[in-house]
mmCIF file of all heavy atoms in Angstrom:
data_model
loop_
_atom_site.group_PDB
_atom_site.id
_atom_site.type_symbol
_atom_site.label_atom_id
_atom_site.label_comp_id
_atom_site.label_asym_id
_atom_site.label_seq_id
_atom_site.Cartn_x
_atom_site.Cartn_y
_atom_site.Cartn_z
ATOM 1 N N PHE H 286 42.574 -1.507 26.934
ATOM 2 C CA PHE H 286 42.056 -0.306 26.274
ATOM 3 C C PHE H 286 43.145 0.393 25.470
ATOM 4 O O PHE H 286 42.922 0.807 24.328
ATOM 5 C CB PHE H 286 41.478 0.648 27.319
ATOM 6 C CG PHE H 286 40.920 1.918 26.745
ATOM 7 C CD1 PHE H 286 39.615 1.971 26.288
ATOM 8 C CD2 PHE H 286 41.694 3.075 26.664
ATOM 9 C CE1 PHE H 286 39.091 3.148 25.760
ATOM 10 C CE2 PHE H 286 41.191 4.250 26.129
ATOM 11 C CZ PHE H 286 39.881 4.277 25.677
ATOM 12 N N VAL H 287 44.347 0.503 26.052
ATOM 13 C CA VAL H 287 45.429 1.207 25.349
ATOM 14 C C VAL H 287 45.848 0.457 24.088
ATOM 15 O O VAL H 287 46.258 1.078 23.092
ATOM 16 C CB VAL H 287 46.650 1.431 26.264
ATOM 17 C CG1 VAL H 287 46.324 2.441 27.350
ATOM 18 C CG2 VAL H 287 47.171 0.121 26.858
ATOM 19 N N VAL H 288 45.750 -0.865 24.095
ATOM 20 C CA VAL H 288 46.103 -1.648 22.909
ATOM 21 C C VAL H 288 45.052 -1.436 21.815
ATOM 22 O O VAL H 288 45.398 -1.319 20.634
ATOM 23 C CB VAL H 288 46.252 -3.139 23.263
ATOM 24 C CG1 VAL H 288 46.569 -3.967 22.019
ATOM 25 C CG2 VAL H 288 47.356 -3.323 24.306
ATOM 26 N N LYS H 289 43.802 -1.369 22.194
ATOM 27 C CA LYS H 289 42.749 -1.059 21.216
ATOM 28 C C LYS H 289 42.998 0.305 20.579
ATOM 29 O O LYS H 289 42.833 0.478 19.360
ATOM 30 C CB LYS H 289 41.376 -1.072 21.899
ATOM 31 C CG LYS H 289 40.922 -2.436 22.370
ATOM 32 C CD LYS H 289 39.601 -2.340 23.126
ATOM 33 C CE LYS H 289 39.181 -3.691 23.681
ATOM 34 N NZ LYS H 289 37.945 -3.609 24.509
ATOM 35 N N GLN H 290 43.394 1.261 21.403
ATOM 36 C CA GLN H 290 43.686 2.602 20.888
ATOM 37 C C GLN H 290 44.850 2.569 19.902
ATOM 38 O O GLN H 290 44.824 3.228 18.859
ATOM 39 C CB GLN H 290 44.012 3.549 22.042
ATOM 40 C CG GLN H 290 42.881 3.768 23.046
ATOM 41 C CD GLN H 290 41.754 4.606 22.491
ATOM 42 O OE1 GLN H 290 40.854 4.085 21.818
ATOM 43 N NE2 GLN H 290 41.789 5.895 22.768
ATOM 44 N N LEU H 291 45.877 1.795 20.233
ATOM 45 C CA LEU H 291 47.024 1.663 19.331
ATOM 46 C C LEU H 291 46.611 1.046 18.007
ATOM 47 O O LEU H 291 46.984 1.527 16.923
ATOM 48 C CB LEU H 291 48.110 0.808 19.984
ATOM 49 C CG LEU H 291 48.866 1.414 21.164
ATOM 50 C CD1 LEU H 291 49.741 0.355 21.828
ATOM 51 C CD2 LEU H 291 49.724 2.598 20.721
ATOM 52 N N ARG H 292 45.873 -0.039 18.070
ATOM 53 C CA ARG H 292 45.450 -0.724 16.836
ATOM 54 C C ARG H 292 44.580 0.203 15.985
ATOM 55 O O ARG H 292 44.730 0.251 14.752
ATOM 56 C CB ARG H 292 44.683 -1.996 17.173
ATOM 57 C CG ARG H 292 45.521 -3.100 17.823
ATOM 58 C CD ARG H 292 44.748 -4.408 17.814
ATOM 59 N NE ARG H 292 45.234 -5.377 18.770
ATOM 60 C CZ ARG H 292 46.227 -6.246 18.542
ATOM 61 N NH1 ARG H 292 46.868 -6.221 17.385
ATOM 62 N NH2 ARG H 292 46.584 -7.130 19.476
ATOM 63 N N ASN H 293 43.669 0.932 16.638
ATOM 64 C CA ASN H 293 42.793 1.854 15.893
ATOM 65 C C ASN H 293 43.575 2.965 15.212
ATOM 66 O O ASN H 293 43.125 3.536 14.220
ATOM 67 C CB ASN H 293 41.748 2.464 16.829
ATOM 68 C CG ASN H 293 40.705 1.462 17.291
ATOM 69 O OD1 ASN H 293 40.504 0.427 16.645
ATOM 70 N ND2 ASN H 293 40.045 1.739 18.398
ATOM 71 N N ALA H 294 44.759 3.267 15.736
ATOM 72 C CA ALA H 294 45.601 4.310 15.150
ATOM 73 C C ALA H 294 46.567 3.764 14.107
ATOM 74 O O ALA H 294 47.370 4.511 13.555
ATOM 75 C CB ALA H 294 46.390 5.011 16.258
ATOM 76 N N GLY H 295 46.505 2.448 13.838
ATOM 77 C CA GLY H 295 47.338 1.856 12.799
ATOM 78 C C GLY H 295 48.631 1.238 13.276
ATOM 79 O O GLY H 295 49.467 0.840 12.458
ATOM 80 N N ALA H 296 48.823 1.135 14.602
ATOM 81 C CA ALA H 296 50.066 0.578 15.130
ATOM 82 C C ALA H 296 50.120 -0.933 14.956
ATOM 83 O O ALA H 296 49.091 -1.604 14.827
ATOM 84 C CB ALA H 296 50.218 0.931 16.605
ATOM 85 N N ILE H 297 51.334 -1.462 14.952
ATOM 86 C CA ILE H 297 51.588 -2.900 14.894
ATOM 87 C C ILE H 297 52.069 -3.336 16.274
ATOM 88 O O ILE H 297 53.050 -2.782 16.789
ATOM 89 C CB ILE H 297 52.661 -3.230 13.836
ATOM 90 C CG1 ILE H 297 52.147 -2.871 12.444
ATOM 91 C CG2 ILE H 297 53.075 -4.697 13.906
ATOM 92 C CD1 ILE H 297 53.241 -2.816 11.390
ATOM 93 N N ILE H 298 51.392 -4.298 16.888
ATOM 94 C CA ILE H 298 51.817 -4.809 18.182
ATOM 95 C C ILE H 298 52.956 -5.795 17.933
ATOM 96 O O ILE H 298 52.756 -6.862 17.360
ATOM 97 C CB ILE H 298 50.658 -5.469 18.940
ATOM 98 C CG1 ILE H 298 49.482 -4.491 19.076
ATOM 99 C CG2 ILE H 298 51.133 -5.957 20.304
ATOM 100 C CD1 ILE H 298 49.823 -3.169 19.721
ATOM 101 N N LEU H 299 54.163 -5.421 18.388
ATOM 102 C CA LEU H 299 55.366 -6.176 18.056
ATOM 103 C C LEU H 299 55.701 -7.251 19.085
ATOM 104 O O LEU H 299 56.269 -8.291 18.732
ATOM 105 C CB LEU H 299 56.544 -5.210 17.930
ATOM 106 C CG LEU H 299 57.891 -5.781 17.502
ATOM 107 C CD1 LEU H 299 57.806 -6.450 16.124
ATOM 108 C CD2 LEU H 299 58.947 -4.674 17.481
ATOM 109 N N GLY H 300 55.371 -7.026 20.356
ATOM 110 C CA GLY H 300 55.698 -8.021 21.363
ATOM 111 C C GLY H 300 55.588 -7.461 22.765
ATOM 112 O O GLY H 300 55.078 -6.367 22.988
ATOM 113 N N LYS H 301 56.089 -8.258 23.725
ATOM 114 C CA LYS H 301 56.007 -7.929 25.153
ATOM 115 C C LYS H 301 57.409 -7.781 25.735
ATOM 116 O O LYS H 301 58.314 -8.563 25.438
ATOM 117 C CB LYS H 301 55.269 -9.038 25.908
ATOM 118 C CG LYS H 301 53.823 -9.298 25.469
ATOM 119 C CD LYS H 301 52.888 -8.206 25.925
ATOM 120 C CE LYS H 301 51.431 -8.610 25.789
ATOM 121 N NZ LYS H 301 50.957 -9.505 26.842
ATOM 122 N N THR H 302 57.573 -6.791 26.606
ATOM 123 C CA THR H 302 58.878 -6.524 27.210
ATOM 124 C C THR H 302 58.947 -7.027 28.649
ATOM 125 O O THR H 302 57.930 -7.126 29.349
ATOM 126 C CB THR H 302 59.195 -5.020 27.196
ATOM 127 O OG1 THR H 302 58.181 -4.314 27.924
ATOM 128 C CG2 THR H 302 59.265 -4.490 25.778
ATOM 129 N N ASN H 303 60.164 -7.307 29.078
ATOM 130 C CA ASN H 303 60.403 -7.756 30.440
ATOM 131 C C ASN H 303 60.186 -6.603 31.423
ATOM 132 O O ASN H 303 60.162 -5.433 31.034
ATOM 133 C CB ASN H 303 61.824 -8.312 30.565
ATOM 134 C CG ASN H 303 62.009 -9.169 31.811
ATOM 135 O OD1 ASN H 303 61.042 -9.639 32.414
ATOM 136 N ND2 ASN H 303 63.244 -9.385 32.203
ATOM 137 N N LEU H 304 60.078 -6.937 32.687
ATOM 138 C CA LEU H 304 59.746 -5.957 33.713
ATOM 139 C C LEU H 304 60.219 -6.457 35.066
ATOM 140 O O LEU H 304 60.584 -7.624 35.221
ATOM 141 C CB LEU H 304 58.235 -5.721 33.762
ATOM 142 C CG LEU H 304 57.348 -6.899 34.217
ATOM 143 C CD1 LEU H 304 55.967 -6.379 34.625
ATOM 144 C CD2 LEU H 304 57.169 -7.960 33.150
ATOM 145 N N SER H 305 60.214 -5.581 36.033
ATOM 146 C CA SER H 305 60.384 -6.037 37.407
ATOM 147 C C SER H 305 59.113 -6.790 37.786
ATOM 148 O O SER H 305 58.005 -6.279 37.619
ATOM 149 C CB SER H 305 60.565 -4.856 38.354
ATOM 150 O OG SER H 305 61.642 -4.040 37.952
ATOM 151 N N GLU H 306 59.279 -8.001 38.291
ATOM 152 C CA GLU H 306 58.121 -8.861 38.544
ATOM 153 C C GLU H 306 57.080 -8.172 39.420
ATOM 154 O O GLU H 306 57.407 -7.535 40.422
ATOM 155 C CB GLU H 306 58.582 -10.155 39.216
ATOM 156 C CG GLU H 306 57.483 -11.179 39.377
ATOM 157 C CD GLU H 306 58.001 -12.536 39.800
ATOM 158 O OE1 GLU H 306 59.093 -12.935 39.329
ATOM 159 O OE2 GLU H 306 57.327 -13.204 40.605
ATOM 160 N N LEU H 307 55.807 -8.301 38.975
ATOM 161 C CA LEU H 307 54.672 -7.697 39.690
ATOM 162 C C LEU H 307 54.902 -6.203 39.914
ATOM 163 O O LEU H 307 54.561 -5.655 40.966
ATOM 164 C CB LEU H 307 54.414 -8.415 41.014
ATOM 165 C CG LEU H 307 54.016 -9.893 40.867
ATOM 166 C CD1 LEU H 307 53.973 -10.562 42.232
ATOM 167 C CD2 LEU H 307 52.674 -10.035 40.150
ATOM 168 N N ALA H 308 55.474 -5.565 38.903
ATOM 169 C CA ALA H 308 55.717 -4.118 38.923
ATOM 170 C C ALA H 308 56.594 -3.705 40.103
ATOM 171 O O ALA H 308 56.439 -2.634 40.678
ATOM 172 C CB ALA H 308 54.406 -3.344 38.918
ATOM 173 N N ASN H 309 57.541 -4.593 40.466
ATOM 174 C CA ASN H 309 58.510 -4.320 41.536
ATOM 175 C C ASN H 309 57.846 -4.154 42.893
ATOM 176 O O ASN H 309 58.333 -3.406 43.751
ATOM 177 C CB ASN H 309 59.372 -3.095 41.224
ATOM 178 C CG ASN H 309 60.834 -3.320 41.600
ATOM 179 O OD1 ASN H 309 61.220 -4.398 42.020
ATOM 180 N ND2 ASN H 309 61.642 -2.284 41.453
ATOM 181 N N PHE H 310 56.760 -4.900 43.108
ATOM 182 C CA PHE H 310 56.056 -4.823 44.389
ATOM 183 C C PHE H 310 56.009 -6.206 45.036
ATOM 184 O O PHE H 310 54.964 -6.671 45.466
ATOM 185 C CB PHE H 310 54.643 -4.270 44.192
ATOM 186 C CG PHE H 310 54.083 -3.589 45.410
ATOM 187 C CD1 PHE H 310 54.656 -2.424 45.889
ATOM 188 C CD2 PHE H 310 52.973 -4.098 46.067
ATOM 189 C CE1 PHE H 310 54.132 -1.786 47.022
ATOM 190 C CE2 PHE H 310 52.444 -3.470 47.192
ATOM 191 C CZ PHE H 310 53.032 -2.307 47.669
ATOM 192 N N ARG H 311 57.184 -6.833 45.081
ATOM 193 C CA ARG H 311 57.273 -8.161 45.691
ATOM 194 C C ARG H 311 58.237 -8.197 46.863
ATOM 195 O O ARG H 311 57.983 -8.834 47.867
ATOM 196 C CB ARG H 311 57.711 -9.192 44.639
ATOM 197 C CG ARG H 311 57.363 -10.617 45.013
ATOM 198 C CD ARG H 311 58.047 -11.631 44.113
ATOM 199 N NE ARG H 311 59.373 -12.001 44.602
ATOM 200 C CZ ARG H 311 60.178 -12.846 43.975
ATOM 201 N NH1 ARG H 311 59.820 -13.377 42.811
ATOM 202 N NH2 ARG H 311 61.352 -13.146 44.487
ATOM 203 N N SER H 312 59.377 -7.503 46.732
ATOM 204 C CA SER H 312 60.409 -7.588 47.752
ATOM 205 C C SER H 312 61.080 -6.237 47.969
ATOM 206 O O SER H 312 61.299 -5.476 47.025
ATOM 207 C CB SER H 312 61.475 -8.608 47.352
ATOM 208 O OG SER H 312 62.601 -8.539 48.204
ATOM 209 N N SER H 313 61.429 -5.961 49.223
ATOM 210 C CA SER H 313 62.162 -4.738 49.562
ATOM 211 C C SER H 313 63.604 -4.798 49.077
ATOM 212 O O SER H 313 64.295 -3.781 49.050
ATOM 213 C CB SER H 313 62.160 -4.525 51.083
ATOM 214 O OG SER H 313 60.844 -4.459 51.582
ATOM 215 N N TYR H 314 64.064 -5.993 48.712
ATOM 216 C CA TYR H 314 65.456 -6.182 48.302
ATOM 217 C C TYR H 314 65.552 -6.674 46.859
ATOM 218 O O TYR H 314 66.486 -7.363 46.485
ATOM 219 C CB TYR H 314 66.145 -7.171 49.252
ATOM 220 C CG TYR H 314 66.084 -6.733 50.686
ATOM 221 C CD1 TYR H 314 65.106 -7.223 51.544
ATOM 222 C CD2 TYR H 314 66.983 -5.789 51.175
ATOM 223 C CE1 TYR H 314 65.036 -6.797 52.861
ATOM 224 C CE2 TYR H 314 66.907 -5.351 52.496
ATOM 225 C CZ TYR H 314 65.932 -5.865 53.333
ATOM 226 O OH TYR H 314 65.864 -5.424 54.630
ATOM 227 N N SER H 315 64.599 -6.281 46.068
ATOM 228 C CA SER H 315 64.563 -6.744 44.676
ATOM 229 C C SER H 315 65.631 -6.081 43.830
ATOM 230 O O SER H 315 66.155 -5.016 44.179
ATOM 231 C CB SER H 315 63.193 -6.448 44.061
ATOM 232 O OG SER H 315 62.995 -5.049 43.944
ATOM 233 N N SER H 316 65.919 -6.708 42.719
ATOM 234 C CA SER H 316 66.744 -6.103 41.681
ATOM 235 C C SER H 316 65.814 -5.659 40.563
ATOM 236 O O SER H 316 65.139 -6.485 39.949
ATOM 237 C CB SER H 316 67.763 -7.114 41.152
ATOM 238 O OG SER H 316 68.445 -6.585 40.038
ATOM 239 N N SER H 317 65.739 -4.367 40.317
ATOM 240 C CA SER H 317 64.854 -3.860 39.261
ATOM 241 C C SER H 317 65.191 -4.518 37.929
ATOM 242 O O SER H 317 66.357 -4.737 37.596
ATOM 243 C CB SER H 317 64.999 -2.345 39.130
ATOM 244 O OG SER H 317 64.399 -1.682 40.216
ATOM 245 N N GLY H 318 64.148 -4.841 37.179
ATOM 246 C CA GLY H 318 64.346 -5.474 35.877
ATOM 247 C C GLY H 318 64.433 -6.977 35.938
ATOM 248 O O GLY H 318 64.598 -7.615 34.892
ATOM 249 N N TRP H 319 64.293 -7.573 37.128
ATOM 250 C CA TRP H 319 64.332 -9.039 37.232
ATOM 251 C C TRP H 319 62.922 -9.587 37.350
ATOM 252 O O TRP H 319 62.100 -9.082 38.119
ATOM 253 C CB TRP H 319 65.130 -9.496 38.448
ATOM 254 C CG TRP H 319 65.305 -11.004 38.486
ATOM 255 C CD1 TRP H 319 66.337 -11.720 37.964
ATOM 256 C CD2 TRP H 319 64.405 -11.963 39.052
ATOM 257 N NE1 TRP H 319 66.142 -13.073 38.160
ATOM 258 C CE2 TRP H 319 64.958 -13.252 38.831
ATOM 259 C CE3 TRP H 319 63.183 -11.873 39.714
ATOM 260 C CZ2 TRP H 319 64.336 -14.427 39.255
ATOM 261 C CZ3 TRP H 319 62.553 -13.039 40.134
ATOM 262 C CH2 TRP H 319 63.130 -14.302 39.913
ATOM 263 N N SER H 320 62.652 -10.632 36.587
ATOM 264 C CA SER H 320 61.412 -11.392 36.745
ATOM 265 C C SER H 320 61.707 -12.860 36.544
ATOM 266 O O SER H 320 62.659 -13.228 35.849
ATOM 267 C CB SER H 320 60.339 -10.922 35.749
ATOM 268 O OG SER H 320 60.623 -11.392 34.438
ATOM 269 N N ALA H 321 60.892 -13.702 37.152
ATOM 270 C CA ALA H 321 61.072 -15.149 37.010
ATOM 271 C C ALA H 321 60.846 -15.581 35.569
ATOM 272 O O ALA H 321 61.451 -16.551 35.106
ATOM 273 C CB ALA H 321 60.125 -15.888 37.945
ATOM 274 N N VAL H 322 59.980 -14.873 34.854
ATOM 275 C CA VAL H 322 59.699 -15.219 33.456
ATOM 276 C C VAL H 322 60.821 -14.752 32.538
ATOM 277 O O VAL H 322 61.280 -15.487 31.658
ATOM 278 C CB VAL H 322 58.357 -14.616 33.005
ATOM 279 C CG1 VAL H 322 58.150 -14.820 31.506
ATOM 280 C CG2 VAL H 322 57.204 -15.244 33.773
ATOM 281 N N GLY H 323 61.299 -13.538 32.722
ATOM 282 C CA GLY H 323 62.245 -12.944 31.775
ATOM 283 C C GLY H 323 63.675 -12.848 32.226
ATOM 284 O O GLY H 323 64.540 -12.461 31.442
#
Side-chain angles (χ1 to χ4, degrees):
F286 180 86
V287 291
V288 178
K289 292 176 184 176
Q290 298 288 84
L291 290 171
R292 292 193 199 274
N293 290 339
I297 295 165
I298 305 305
L299 184 60
K301 299 287 194 78
T302 59
N303 197 18
L304 66 162
S305 304
E306 187 169 323
L307 297 172
N309 222 4
F310 206 65
R311 201 192 88 182
S312 170
S313 302
Y314 303 97
S315 67
S316 173
S317 287
W319 186 92
S320 75
V322 173

